[in-house]
């Protein structure tokens, strides 16, 4: 996720908060409904009435939710994908991907939601839309002082069936609603042909301390460790972030159905772990949550999978688990690592220690889950901040997260990764997209 006004931006691997569930709405009831402004909102853009997704979640139509959502966009159109893209859309949920709101001029969705920390998710399905050329879809998305997307084109990712961009930010207690504006970029194409579009928008409230530092905890241990420095970084109300990665270590993709409070998706990490001699293992242990790591931090299934490595397959003295995450230069990145010790043979502090390196910076010389959680089966997460300096125009660079378990060299048992999930987010700056 990207963060607040700082010299450069931040990216984040695996962090999230508890969400309030959507109020049940009858899908075929076209009359306006009153909604609680503190509940999660999902809008099916370009569709007039309320609808139900395959997973049972309720999405609001543009005219059936006037009490909480308003729309302004003269000249905008409600579109459906062209028939030539039917083969690509067969595995997609019609809600929200089979309708879109598009325009060659700016349009704005305004959400009358309460103040506090929010998830904002923008859904895009990049097929062909009649009367719009895909090659001219370049636009900017802004919300208040933040530029969420700049010079964005969903059509650059035609290999993907759909695209979800996720952000977190704070809505102040000034009574002003949350506005999200989509604006075509004229600079790219010297004509009136550029357009902006969106298929779905989610606004999900999150607990105040899920990713951000509570004001009463500023002097405590809740802030993120800064890699390579002996200090911490506090994520406050002025910080906005964009999610870059959210990985389920050693497990399968977890959809929003598996994360019913926050509606997050966790992808598998098989394309990011470097070691080739690992194999997945799963557990059925019930996970214990604490005040610092609530059920909203991550779903139980995330903590029940990991990788294992046979020492006999290794050469040399060192054994490690390393993940490679390609990211942009010139940003600050927030990385959340999720842990859980599920080996009941581990009974005391110091029995199973490990070290953590982020981009070759030692951030934990002697990690110990029993010391951190005090018992087996406790969900734990740790936050770290690192900066990748350089010119963003030079492309991506790999951000490395490595765990080095300490072990008895005479033992022939398997070495398990106690890492369960990675979240990485990029810092967004107020007023401008940092260059």
């Amino acid at each position: 996720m990207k963060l607040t006004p700082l010299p450069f931006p931040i990216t984040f691997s695996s962090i999230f908060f508890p969400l309030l569930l959507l109020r049940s709405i009858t899908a075929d009831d076209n009359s306006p409904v009153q909604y609680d402004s503190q509940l999660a909102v999902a809008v099916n853009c370009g569709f007039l009435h309320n609808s139900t997704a395959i997973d049972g979640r309720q999405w609001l139509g543009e005219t059936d939710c006037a009490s909480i959502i308003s729309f302004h966009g003269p000249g905008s159109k409600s579109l459906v994908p062209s028939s030539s893209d039917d083969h690509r859309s067969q595995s997609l949920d019609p809600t929200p991907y089979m309708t879109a709101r598009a325009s060659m001029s700016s349009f704005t969705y305004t959400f009358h939601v309460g103040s506090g920390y929010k998830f904002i998710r923008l859904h895009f399905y990049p097929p062909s839309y009649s009367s719009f050329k895909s090659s001219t879809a370049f636009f900017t998305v802004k919300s208040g002082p933040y530029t969420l997307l700049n010079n964005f084109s969903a059509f650059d990712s035609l290999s993907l069936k759909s695209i979800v961009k996720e952000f977190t930010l704070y809505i102040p207690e000034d009574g002003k609603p949350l506005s999200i504006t989509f604006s075509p970029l004229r600079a790219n194409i010297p004509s009136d042909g550029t357009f902006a579009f969106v298929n779905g928008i989610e606004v999900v409230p999150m607990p105040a301390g899920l990713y951000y530092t509570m004001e009463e905890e500023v002097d405590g241990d809740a802030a993120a460790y800064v890699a390579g420095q002996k200090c911490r970084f506090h994520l406050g109300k002025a910080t906005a972030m964009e999610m870059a990665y959210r990985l389920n270590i050693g497990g399968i993709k977890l959809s929003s159905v598996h994360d019913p409070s926050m509606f997050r998706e966790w992808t598998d990490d098989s394309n990011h772990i470097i070691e080739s001699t690992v194999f997945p293992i799963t557990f059925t242990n019930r996970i214990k949550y604490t005040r610092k790591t609530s059920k909203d931090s991550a779903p139980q299934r995330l903590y029940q999978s990991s990788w294992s490595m046979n020492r006999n397959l290794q050469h040399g003295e060192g054994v490690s688990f390393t993940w490679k995450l390609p990211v942009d230069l010139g940003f600050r990145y927030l990385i959340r690592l999720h842990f859980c010790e599920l080996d009941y043979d581990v009974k005391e502090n110091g029995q199973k220690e490990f070290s953590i390196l982020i981009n070759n910076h030692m951030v934990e010389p002697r990690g110990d889950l029993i010391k951190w959680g005090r018992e087996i089966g406790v969900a734990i997460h740790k936050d770290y901040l690192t900066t990748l300096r350089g010119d963003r125009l030079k492309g991506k660079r790999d951000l490395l997260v490595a765990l080095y378990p300490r072990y008895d060299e005479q033992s022939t048992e398997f070495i398990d990764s106690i890492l369960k999930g990675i979240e990485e987010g990029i810092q967004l700056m107020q007023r401008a997209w940092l260059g």
Side-chain angles (χ1 to χ4, degrees):
M1 290 186 171
K2 300 181 182 177
L3 308 170
T4 48
L6 293 167
F8 28 91
I10 296 185
T11 305
F12 129 97
S13 309
S14 145
I15 309 172
F16 289 89
F17 341 56
L19 243 233
L20 298 177
L21 296 178
L22 278 172
R23 177 178 294 181
S24 177
I25 303 165
T26 304
D28 57 356
D29 181 3
N30 296 333
S31 60
V33 181
Q34 296 297 315
Y35 298 97
D36 187 332
S37 64
Q38 295 297 337
L39 296 183
V41 176
V43 181
N44 189 4
C45 300
F47 197 71
L48 298 181
H49 304 301
N50 301 333
S51 56
T52 304
I54 292 174
D55 62 6
R57 188 178 179 193
Q58 305 295 322
W59 289 69
L60 307 181
E62 291 179 341
T63 61
D64 284 351
C65 54
S67 64
I68 196 168
I69 300 166
S70 56
F71 172 78
H72 179 74
S76 69
K77 295 181 178 180
S78 173
L79 301 178
V80 295
S82 66
S83 57
S84 62
D85 289 285
D86 286 347
H87 66 286
R88 294 184 63 223
S89 63
Q90 289 178 355
S91 61
L92 280 176
D93 193 331
T95 302
Y97 295 110
M98 290 301 102
T99 59
R101 175 63 61 182
S103 180
M104 292 184 179
S105 57
S106 295
F107 61 91
T108 300
Y109 285 89
T110 300
F111 296 81
H112 301 276
V113 294
S115 64
Y117 295 98
K118 311 288 182 183
F119 271 122
I120 295 177
R121 297 192 187 102
L122 307 178
H123 295 256
F124 303 96
Y125 173 46
S128 299
Y129 291 103
S130 59
S131 73
F132 291 95
K133 295 181 180 179
S134 61
S135 60
T136 64
F138 292 93
F139 54 95
T140 294
V141 182
K142 294 185 178 182
S143 180
Y146 300 104
T147 298
L148 304 182
L149 296 172
N150 186 50
N151 195 17
F152 173 72
S153 175
F155 294 91
D156 288 340
S157 305
L158 289 177
S159 60
L160 301 176
K161 291 181 179 179
S162 61
I163 300 168
V164 180
K165 292 291 186 178
E166 181 179 279
F167 309 88
T168 67
L169 53 76
Y170 178 78
I171 299 178
E173 300 176 0
D174 57 6
K176 294 181 180 179
L178 167 69
S179 293
I180 302 175
T181 300
F182 300 78
S183 302
L185 289 181
R186 302 299 182 205
N188 288 34
I189 302 171
S191 71
D192 293 332
T194 55
F195 74 99
F197 80 102
V198 64
N199 297 85
I201 303 174
E202 294 178 67
V203 178
V204 180
M206 65 179 78
L210 186 54
Y211 292 106
Y212 290 83
T213 309
M214 300 293 288
E215 292 181 2
E216 61 270 21
E217 295 178 331
V218 167
D219 295 327
D221 61 355
Y225 291 92
V226 179
Q229 301 180 34
K230 294 182 179 180
C231 64
R232 297 196 181 204
F233 181 85
H234 301 277
L235 279 71
K237 295 178 179 178
T239 298
M241 293 186 286
E242 177 186 358
M243 190 276 292
Y245 293 98
R246 186 182 292 118
L247 304 178
N248 180 18
I249 303 302
I252 62 173
K253 176 182 177 179
L254 300 179
S255 70
S256 58
V257 174
H258 301 110
D259 195 356
S261 63
M262 295 294 105
F263 307 111
R264 293 165 294 198
E265 290 192 351
W266 304 74
T267 59
D268 75 86
D269 68 325
S270 57
N271 291 329
H272 298 281
I273 188 166
I274 294 177
E275 287 74 13
S276 60
T277 57
V278 295
F279 55 91
I281 55 174
T282 57
F283 303 86
T284 58
N285 309 56
R286 186 166 182 81
I287 307 303
K288 304 170 188 176
Y289 293 94
T290 66
R291 183 181 65 83
K292 290 186 177 180
T293 307
S294 71
K295 291 183 179 180
D296 295 307
S297 297
Q300 289 233 1
R301 289 188 61 173
L302 180 84
Y303 297 102
Q304 294 173 331
S305 65
S306 58
W307 294 107
S308 188
M309 183 186 299
N310 191 328
R311 291 191 187 124
N312 293 330
L313 298 177
Q314 305 304 312
H315 300 284
E317 299 181 356
V319 173
S320 69
F321 295 86
T322 303
W323 289 265
K324 181 171 63 175
L325 307 171
V327 296
D328 293 318
L329 294 171
F331 284 91
R332 218 168 2 201
Y333 291 86
L334 176 66
I335 300 169
R336 173 166 290 183
L337 304 182
H338 293 264
F339 300 94
C340 189
E341 180 58 79
L342 297 176
D343 183 354
Y344 282 92
D345 291 331
V346 181
K347 303 181 183 301
E348 57 188 32
N349 295 356
Q351 191 173 345
K352 190 175 181 180
E353 295 182 330
F354 56 94
S355 55
I356 305 174
L357 280 75
I358 295 180
N359 273 359
N360 297 319
H361 290 293
M362 179 69 72
V363 294
E364 293 287 354
R366 302 191 72 168
D368 187 329
L369 297 190
I370 298 299
K371 181 178 180 181
W372 291 346
R374 300 185 179 180
E375 59 179 315
I376 296 295
V378 175
I380 299 166
H381 66 249
K382 295 286 184 177
D383 294 343
Y384 306 95
L385 194 75
T386 189
T387 300
L388 271 71
R389 301 176 185 275
D391 185 350
R392 210 173 315 155
L393 298 178
K394 292 184 178 180
K396 295 184 180 293
R397 178 178 296 176
D398 291 333
L399 189 157
L400 301 178
V401 177
L403 268 69
Y404 288 82
R406 299 182 64 184
Y407 67 99
D408 180 357
E409 293 184 5
Q410 303 302 316
S411 174
T412 59
E413 297 178 1
F414 294 112
I415 299 176
D416 297 336
S417 165
I418 39 72
L419 183 63
K420 306 297 182 178
I422 297 177
E423 293 181 88
E424 179 180 315
I426 309 168
Q427 174 180 0
L428 287 177
M429 309 306 293
Q430 285 193 6
R431 303 297 177 192
W433 185 268
L434 297 184

